[in-house]
Amino acid sequence: MASANKTINTDVPAKDIFALHFLQSLSNLRIQNPLNSPEETTDRVKKIKMAAYISMARAAGGTNRLWSRALLRRASKENNKINRFSRRKRKVTWQISSERRGRRSSNRRAPVVEEVAERLRNFVPGGGGMETSKLMEETAHYIKCLSMQVKVMQCLVDGLSPK
Amino acid sequence: MDLTGGLVARSGSGGMCRESTGLESLHLVDEFRQLVTLPSENAGGSFTALLELPATQAVELLHFTDSSSSQAAVNGIGGDIAPPPLHSFGTLTFPSNSALMERAARFSVIATEQHNGNVSGETTTSSVPSNSSANLDRIKTEPAETDSSQRLISDQIPCPIQNNRSGKRKDFEKKVRSSTKKTKSSEENEKLPYVHVRARRGQATDSHSLAERARREKINARMKLLQELVPGCDKIQGTALVLDEIINHVQSLQRQVEMLSMRLAAVNPRIDFNLDTILASENGSLMDGSFNGTAMQLAWPHQAIETEQSFHHRQLQPPPPHQWPFDGLNQPVWGREEDQGHGNEHNNLMAVSENVMVGSANLLHPNQVKTEL
C-alpha cells in the first residue's frame, strides 16, 4: 500500500502563506473598526475567528479543496456575498443541506467505520457530501492546515503580547 | 520461463538475494545460485564467484552466450567473493534455459538431502578447465546439499520423483504468481478509475464483495495516513478507536484556534494596532517560528525594513501584472470595499508582508500568491 500514499496528495503550503493571509485579514478587520474599538469583545472574537478560518481556507488551497470551499461558501453566505468558484468536474455539495443524508444511507459498508465517519463529518467542513474515503483525505489535509494555522496564531500572539 | 520471471520479480523486489530473510527468498537464493552456476561452466574460471552476484547480473549471465566476456566479468568479481556452498557442474552441458530452470527448481526442494559418496568421484571426472580445478577441490569438501543436487544433475534420468518436484515447482510458481497478483491488484485499485481486482484464494468473487473489498482497502490506506498525522495513533488498535482519536484531535485544534483568537482579540485593543511598528517588534518572534520560504521565488531583492515611502516606490516599479491581488481577496470575505485609501492599504499590507518575510530570506512572488488563491 506504499504506492497509495503517492496518489493521495496532502501537501500544505508553507507557514508564510498562512501568516500572510491571516495578517491580511486582520488588517482588514482593523480597517473596518478603525480606532473605536467596540466594547463587545465576543463580537471581535467571532470576527477574528472567522478571519482565521477564512484565511486558512484561502491559504490552504482556495477552492481546490472541498473543505475550504465549504468554509468559504459558509462565510460568504453569512456576508451575503457570492464567491466565484472555478469550474470543476465534480459537483461540490454544500454541507448545510441535510438532504444529502438520504444518499449517504446507501453506505452500508463497515458500519463501525461509517458511524465514526458521521461524527467526523460534523467537524470537518464540507463533510456532508463526501464518501468516507474522500472524507478521510480531506480530514488529513484539514488537520495539517489547522495545525499550521495554530502555529501562526501562536507566533502572532506571542509577538504581540507584552513582554 | 515463468519461473525465471517470477524469480526475477521476487528477487528484484527483495533487493540483494543475500540480504533477504524470508523463507521464500531463501529458496530463491538457492535457485538463483543454481541457475547461475549452470551457465558458468561454459565460461570456466571462478564460476563460483557468479553465485554471489546480485540478481540483475545473474540474470544477465543466464542469457549470456559470450563466454569470454562472462569470464571476464566473473574474474572481475572473483577476487573478493568467498566460495559458495555449491557444486561445479563441469560435466554437464545444458542445451537450453528451460532445462536449467527445471533442475534449479528441483534443487531448491531437495536441498537438504543426504550426501552421496559417489558424487566426489563424478566431480573429479568432470572435464573442467584447469583454472577451476582449485575451486573444484574446495567444493568437494562442502556440505551435503550441494553434492546431492549435483547427484541429481549428473543422473540425467527422469526419476519418478521428478513429477513430484515439478508439482512442487508449480505450487511455488503459483505462490509467486499469486503474491505478485495480490500486489498488482492493490496497486491497480489506486490507479485506475475502474477497479480490476483479481480474487485471492479462498475469497468470494461476486462483484459486490470485490468492490467492497476494494473500497475497504482504500479506506484503510487513508486511515494509515491519518494515523501518521495524529500523534499517538500508531499504538491504538482498531479503526473505531483511531477515528475517535482523530476526532478528538480535530476538536482540540479547533478549540485552540478559538482560544488563540480570543487572546488576539484581548491583545488588540491594548496595543495600538499599528501594523508597522507591531510587526517590527514581532519580527523576532516570527523568525524564531522558523518560517521557511524555500518554495517561494525572490520577487524583489530582499532588503532591510523600509519606510513606507520607499516601499511605495518599490511597489510601483514592478509592472502591473505583478500587482498585489488584494481586490479579489478582500471582496468575498468582508463584503466591504476598501474605500478609504486603497493606496495606503496597499502600502500597509505590503509592509505587512514585507516585514513578515524578513525572517526568511525570500519574498513571496505575487504571481505565486495568485496561483495559491
Side-chain angles (χ1 to χ4, degrees), chain A residues 66-117:
Chain A
L66 279 174
W67 63 265
S68 58
R69 288 168 80 118
L71 252 186
L72 290 173
R73 237 185 182 162
R74 193 199 307 182
S76 65
K77 255 192 186 177
E78 287 185 13
N79 292 328
N80 294 328
K81 265 287 180 172
I82 299 171
N83 253 352
R84 278 173 272 115
F85 286 110
S86 60
R87 279 264 182 136
R88 302 193 70 202
K89 284 185 207 162
R90 286 177 292 151
K91 180 172 180 268
V92 177
T93 58
W94 176 227
Q95 168 197 0
I96 288 183
S97 62
S98 53
E99 71 247 32
R100 303 299 298 186
R101 290 175 191 267
R103 183 187 74 82
R104 256 186 291 118
S105 62
S106 66
N107 274 348
R108 49 182 172 79
R109 313 175 165 99
V112 179
V113 177
E114 295 302 319
E115 200 182 321
V116 190

Side-chain angles (χ1 to χ4, degrees), chain A residues 15 20-21 23-24 27-28 30 32 44 58 79 83 108-109 116 119 123 133 137 140 142 156 160, chain B residues 212 215 222 229 243-244 251 254 269 271 273 278 282 289 329-330 332-334 349 356 364 373:
Chain A
K15 207 171 174 184
L20 183 64
H21 282 76
L23 288 168
Q24 284 169 6
S27 60
N28 274 336
R30 183 173 87 89
Q32 289 150 19
R44 294 198 70 193
R58 261 209 236 105
N79 292 328
N83 253 352
R108 49 182 172 79
R109 313 175 165 99
V116 190
R119 290 161 55 194
F123 288 107
S133 58
E137 219 177 300
Y142 186 57
L156 207 56
L160 286 177
Chain B
E212 286 235 6
R215 276 199 77 256
R222 284 161 169 84
L229 214 48
L243 281 174
D244 279 343
Q251 263 180 321
Q254 283 175 340
I271 302 179
F273 197 51
I278 283 171
E282 148 194 326
L329 274 183
N330 301 332
V333 181
W334 301 109
L349 289 163
V356 161
L364 184 60
L373 305 171

